[in-house]
Amino acid sequence: MAIATLTTDWTRHDFYVAALKGEILRRNPVAAIVDISHQIPAFQLQGAAYVLRGAFRHFPEKSVHIIGVDSEPTPKKPIVAVSYLGQYFVAVDNGVMGLICDTQPDAVVTIDYEDLGNGFNALIPFAKAAAALTLGEPIESIGTPKPSVNHMPMLLPVLDASFIIGNVIYIDTFGNIITNITRNEFDRVAKGRRYEILIQSNRYKVKTISSSYSAVEDGEFVAIFNSAGHLEVAQNKGRIASILNLDMSSSVRINFFNQ
Amino acid sequence: MAIATLTTDWTRHDFYVAALKGEILRRNPVAAIVDISHQIPAFQLQGAAYVLRGAFRHFPEKSVHIIGVDSEPTPKKPIVAVSYLGQYFVAVDNGVMGLICDTQPDAVVTIDYEDLGNGFNALIPFAKAAAALTLGEPIESIGTPKPSVNHMPMLLPVLDASFIIGNVIYIDTFGNIITNITRNEFDRVAKGRRYEILIQSNRYKVKTISSSYSAVEDGEFVAIFNSAGHLEVAQNKGRIASILNLDMSSSVRINFFNQ
Amino acid sequence: MAIATLTTDWTRHDFYVAALKGEILRRNPVAAIVDISHQIPAFQLQGAAYVLRGAFRHFPEKSVHIIGVDSEPTPKKPIVAVSYLGQYFVAVDNGVMGLICDTQPDAVVTIDYEDLGNGFNALIPFAKAAAALTLGEPIESIGTPKPSVNHMPMLLPVLDASFIIGNVIYIDTFGNIITNITRNEFDRVAKGRRYEILIQSNRYKVKTISSSYSAVEDGEFVAIFNSAGHLEVAQNKGRIASILNLDMSSSVRINFFNQ
């Protein structure tokens, strides 16, 4: 059974999500539709990309991942379908696909839309693309080839010989902060040296990266590489983001020591 | 695969929604169950009707739409199953079906329930009706014919030769306000004339109805007819309901000018 | 079609729930996955048990119920699969299964996990167990037998000849309070006598247990035995928990009168 997943900032209160599910099921009644999240903060492409990057690899091959964040298409930001790492993605090409793909996708096509003047122009093209791809139609047959997806400038961590400065890119529902520092980047700079992790200021430090939240006592701060490979800082059974008043503009600095 | 959708004020925290899904699947293991919303404000029939009116037309024919809002049946407000526009609806007949059906439904039947004294008398009748209808049983076989659904007095917009006064019937999760003024009513009064839309007072005006939110700059107010055909007023990338302190008692007035 | 249900404190914002759904569907593409709740308050085993106890009996036989609350396994709290009342459960053995099972389960097995050092060690074992059980594999084949599930000390109501003192174990989304007093316990002590229910203090009383919320006028307090068999106190169309400032530490006392 072919799978279509949904990651949107449409929330669950309204009928947008349901309308899309209905239109997909009209075209492919046996599609299995899986909600990834409908609570991406509005227009937060980086948050959407973080959540979907963490989820999509867990799905069967040829699953179709629909991204409805900042989802009104324009001539400069058309609707695209993308084939990448054996999975399909359907989104408005507003930069979110550039955040998801680390390498050049296998195929990108532009999908036509009609301006219905109702603020929801993506509905039918999203549903048609998802239905066609879950029914096994080749991606080339559903749109016009496009050389690549759009990229947006994004915050990357600053890497130096003796430090890394990263940023908070997501705050999860436990109040844990997720940074843009990955395990690869850490390993490249750390080279096995001793380090300290400063959270926002010199005042709050973590001196080791643990393998689980419960490696520290309840109430203490703990750093781990999460299952998406990102450095995450948490308070065991607490909410570090609230306690230290952290938000998406907060920074995390790792200092490395030569002895 | 037959589809049952759920629109309730039961929220997702509790087990009511899950219990209903389980009882449907016990009776029809291949029913595809789609959540429309479980966050209808408690007892808000107008909100439930707005959300479901926006969603149900997008579903395949003969889908079954269960409405669990103000869902404790009484002798005066029995459980009904309704056939309307090629779709089925199951609800307590508290007026919500009257808000959904613009014309006389094709069939209405009353469904028996047992008073279990546990505050959830609708569970088994809802599940039985949904299972029977998704299994293809005729609606006449699952209940006793009833001439029509109950109607409740509802707020209609006031139409005059030179103005329309409408009300907010829903505030969506972007803080956009949805009014009870439809495109049909607007066209009938407007007759191509110039107009201004006053939001709650003379102070906040929109002078044109756009075809998309992004027709205006970020932060500006924008009016559109949404995909449900209702006049909606939004702030591009903002929350007009919070900024202007609007709620379900707020009004919107459209003045038309003869020259 | 075999069913897997999910009850977690992972919320819907993040990708944990989606990752688990994907990993189940990779192993059993026709599993029907039903969300029970992802909004269990973090680490609240009693809340999770209350919600799942209310839901699981409504599902078809051999459904698999996954509980992701306090879900990081440790050597003392391994992952277990449990067969109980014709249904399967998969959870970390942190005491939650002890709260769900009133009697000795039919089978308990321990399931191996690998320490991936990413704070989400339960993902693959949960998915493998759910896929195997929904595919019909016998529970004995997926783990090592364990004599029983772990039990945690839990708050039980105090029963006396002339009174019962219970506690709030859950506050539902209508603000109704659910207590740990069951209908069985009430009947055993009451023996048909007159009674009064004191909510937190002597000041707020309910003198009868009704069979539905609407047995009292809007705004009045009402006590019922809910569909899970627990004594629940509500305000008809109001939020008793907010009005009386009740929380999980609040108590409810029932006094019985001999004449």
Side-chain angles (χ1 to χ4, degrees):
Chain A
M1 189 155 53
I3 292 161
T5 79
L6 307 179
T7 305
T8 78
D9 63 0
W10 302 345
T11 78
R12 298 189 72 84
H13 296 242
D14 308 315
F15 60 80
Y16 302 107
V17 172
L20 179 55
K21 290 180 181 175
E23 292 288 350
I24 294 170
L25 291 167
R26 271 161 79 132
R27 293 170 172 84
N28 180 2
V30 297
I33 303 178
V34 176
D35 297 301
I36 289 187
S37 173
H38 300 296
Q39 294 170 329
I40 303 294
F43 304 104
Q44 284 283 355
L45 303 184
Q46 205 146 339
Y50 169 73
V51 168
L52 191 50
R53 284 174 68 108
F56 83 83
R57 289 159 216 259
H58 297 286
F59 280 84
E61 271 205 6
K62 294 187 185 299
S63 293
V64 181
H65 305 284
I66 301 173
I67 306 161
V69 177
D70 186 19
S71 55
E72 195 162 308
T74 65
K76 279 192 187 158
K77 300 190 295 184
I79 295 169
V80 289
V82 173
S83 169
Y84 175 65
L85 293 186
Q87 310 258 344
Y88 295 116
F89 299 84
V90 177
V92 166
D93 196 14
N94 51 24
V96 71
M97 284 311 308
L99 294 172
I100 287 171
C101 302
D102 290 324
T103 57
Q104 175 68 13
D106 299 316
V108 183
V109 299
T110 302
I111 293 170
D112 287 342
Y113 69 93
E114 201 181 332
D115 188 352
L116 303 170
N118 64 9
F120 199 20
N121 290 323
L123 172 64
I124 301 301
F126 275 15
K128 280 187 179 168
L133 293 170
T134 53
L135 286 167
E137 289 185 32
I139 189 169
E140 295 74 17
S141 74
I142 67 166
T144 314
K146 186 174 184 293
S148 187
V149 294
N150 290 334
H151 287 267
M152 60 179 294
M154 72 172 278
L155 279 176
L156 288 174
V158 177
L159 309 187
D160 183 89
S162 63
F163 63 82
I164 298 176
I165 299 175
N167 283 88
V168 174
I169 57 166
Y170 195 70
I171 295 173
D172 78 10
T173 44
F174 295 107
N176 303 343
I177 57 166
I178 289 96
T179 73
N180 56 353
I181 303 171
T182 63
R183 189 194 287 262
N184 281 348
E185 289 157 344
F186 176 86
D187 287 346
R188 215 179 323 142
V189 178
K191 294 174 184 150
R193 289 181 292 177
R194 195 163 58 78
Y195 56 89
E196 63 180 12
I197 302 171
L198 308 182
I199 304 141
Q200 184 74 323
S201 74
N202 288 334
R203 217 168 131 197
Y204 301 102
K205 294 183 190 180
V206 177
K207 299 209 169 172
T208 185
I209 296 177
S210 304
S211 67
S212 85
Y213 301 122
S214 55
V216 302
E217 297 297 310
D218 289 6
E220 286 186 16
F221 297 150
V222 56
I224 68 164
F225 284 112
N226 67 20
S227 63
H230 282 250
L231 183 69
E232 180 173 329
V233 190
Q235 185 191 32
N236 191 19
K237 306 209 174 170
R239 299 184 67 82
I240 196 172
S242 313
I243 284 166
L244 301 191
N245 206 19
L246 304 173
D247 60 28
M248 306 286 277
S249 70
S250 301
S251 64
V252 168
R253 180 185 176 116
I254 312 178
N255 290 323
F256 297 93
F257 303 108
N258 284 324
Q259 53 184 7
Chain B
M1 188 155 54
I3 292 160
T5 79
L6 306 179
T7 304
T8 78
D9 63 0
W10 302 344
T11 78
R12 296 189 73 84
H13 296 243
D14 308 315
F15 59 80
Y16 301 107
V17 173
L20 179 55
K21 290 180 181 176
E23 292 288 350
I24 294 170
L25 291 166
R26 272 160 79 131
R27 293 169 172 84
N28 180 2
V30 298
I33 302 178
V34 176
D35 296 301
I36 289 187
S37 174
H38 300 296
Q39 294 170 329
I40 303 294
F43 304 103
Q44 283 283 354
L45 302 183
Q46 204 146 339
Y50 169 73
V51 168
L52 191 50
R53 283 175 69 108
F56 84 82
R57 289 161 216 260
H58 297 286
F59 280 83
E61 271 205 6
K62 295 187 185 298
S63 294
V64 181
H65 305 284
I66 300 172
I67 306 161
V69 178
D70 186 19
S71 54
E72 194 162 309
T74 65
K76 279 191 187 158
K77 300 189 296 182
I79 296 169
V80 290
V82 173
S83 168
Y84 176 65
L85 293 186
Q87 311 258 344
Y88 295 117
F89 299 84
V90 177
V92 166
D93 197 14
N94 50 23
V96 71
M97 284 311 308
L99 294 172
I100 287 171
C101 301
D102 290 324
T103 57
Q104 175 67 13
D106 299 317
V108 182
V109 299
T110 302
I111 293 170
D112 287 342
Y113 68 94
E114 200 182 334
D115 188 352
L116 303 170
N118 64 9
F120 199 20
N121 290 324
L123 172 64
I124 301 300
F126 274 16
K128 279 187 179 168
L133 293 170
T134 54
L135 285 167
E137 289 184 32
I139 189 169
E140 294 75 17
S141 74
I142 67 167
T144 314
K146 185 174 185 292
S148 188
V149 294
N150 290 335
H151 287 267
M152 59 179 294
M154 72 172 277
L155 280 176
L156 288 173
V158 176
L159 309 187
D160 183 88
S162 63
F163 63 83
I164 299 176
I165 300 175
N167 283 88
V168 174
I169 56 167
Y170 194 71
I171 294 173
D172 78 9
T173 44
F174 295 107
N176 303 343
I177 57 166
I178 288 95
T179 73
N180 56 353
I181 303 171
T182 64
R183 189 194 289 262
N184 281 348
E185 290 157 342
F186 176 86
D187 287 346
R188 214 177 326 141
V189 178
K191 293 174 184 152
R193 289 180 292 177
R194 195 162 58 77
Y195 56 89
E196 63 180 12
I197 302 171
L198 308 183
I199 304 142
Q200 183 74 322
S201 74
N202 288 333
R203 217 168 131 197
Y204 300 103
K205 294 183 190 180
V206 177
K207 299 210 168 171
T208 185
I209 296 177
S210 304
S211 67
S212 84
Y213 301 121
S214 55
V216 302
E217 296 297 311
D218 289 6
E220 286 187 16
F221 297 150
V222 57
I224 68 165
F225 285 112
N226 67 20
S227 63
H230 282 250
L231 183 69
E232 179 173 330
V233 190
Q235 184 191 33
N236 191 19
K237 305 207 175 171
R239 299 184 68 83
I240 196 172
S242 312
I243 284 166
L244 301 191
N245 206 19
L246 304 173
D247 60 28
M248 306 286 277
S249 70
S250 301
S251 64
V252 167
R253 179 185 176 115
I254 312 178
N255 290 322
F256 298 93
F257 303 108
N258 285 323
Q259 53 183 7
Chain C
M1 188 155 53
I3 292 161
T5 79
L6 307 179
T7 305
T8 78
D9 62 0
W10 303 344
T11 78
R12 297 189 72 84
H13 296 242
D14 308 315
F15 59 81
Y16 301 107
V17 172
L20 178 55
K21 290 180 180 176
E23 292 288 350
I24 294 170
L25 291 166
R26 272 161 79 133
R27 292 170 172 83
N28 179 2
V30 298
I33 302 178
V34 175
D35 297 300
I36 289 187
S37 173
H38 300 296
Q39 294 170 330
I40 302 294
F43 304 104
Q44 284 282 354
L45 302 184
Q46 205 147 338
Y50 169 72
V51 168
L52 191 49
R53 283 174 69 106
F56 84 83
R57 289 161 215 259
H58 297 286
F59 280 84
E61 271 205 5
K62 295 186 185 300
S63 294
V64 181
H65 305 284
I66 301 173
I67 306 161
V69 177
D70 186 19
S71 55
E72 195 162 307
T74 64
K76 278 191 188 158
K77 300 189 296 183
I79 296 169
V80 290
V82 173
S83 169
Y84 175 65
L85 293 186
Q87 311 257 344
Y88 295 117
F89 298 84
V90 177
V92 166
D93 196 14
N94 51 24
V96 72
M97 284 310 308
L99 294 172
I100 288 171
C101 301
D102 290 323
T103 56
Q104 175 68 12
D106 299 316
V108 183
V109 299
T110 302
I111 294 170
D112 287 342
Y113 69 93
E114 200 181 333
D115 188 353
L116 303 169
N118 65 9
F120 199 19
N121 290 325
L123 172 64
I124 301 300
F126 275 15
K128 279 187 179 169
L133 293 170
T134 54
L135 286 167
E137 289 184 31
I139 189 169
E140 294 74 17
S141 73
I142 67 167
T144 314
K146 186 173 185 293
S148 187
V149 294
N150 290 334
H151 287 267
M152 59 179 294
M154 72 172 278
L155 279 176
L156 289 174
V158 176
L159 309 188
D160 183 89
S162 63
F163 63 83
I164 298 176
I165 299 175
N167 283 88
V168 174
I169 56 166
Y170 195 69
I171 294 173
D172 78 10
T173 44
F174 295 107
N176 303 344
I177 56 166
I178 289 95
T179 73
N180 56 353
I181 303 171
T182 64
R183 189 194 288 262
N184 281 348
E185 290 157 343
F186 176 85
D187 287 346
R188 216 180 322 143
V189 178
K191 294 175 185 151
R193 289 180 292 176
R194 195 163 58 78
Y195 56 90
E196 63 180 11
I197 301 171
L198 308 183
I199 304 141
Q200 183 74 326
S201 73
N202 288 333
R203 217 168 132 198
Y204 300 103
K205 295 184 190 179
V206 177
K207 300 209 168 171
T208 184
I209 296 177
S210 304
S211 67
S212 85
Y213 300 122
S214 56
V216 302
E217 297 297 310
D218 290 6
E220 286 185 17
F221 297 150
V222 57
I224 68 165
F225 285 112
N226 67 20
S227 63
H230 282 250
L231 182 69
E232 179 173 331
V233 190
Q235 184 191 33
N236 191 20
K237 305 209 175 170
R239 300 184 68 82
I240 196 172
S242 312
I243 284 166
L244 300 191
N245 206 19
L246 304 174
D247 59 27
M248 306 285 277
S249 70
S250 301
S251 63
V252 168
R253 179 186 177 115
I254 312 178
N255 290 322
F256 297 92
F257 303 109
N258 285 324
Q259 52 183 7

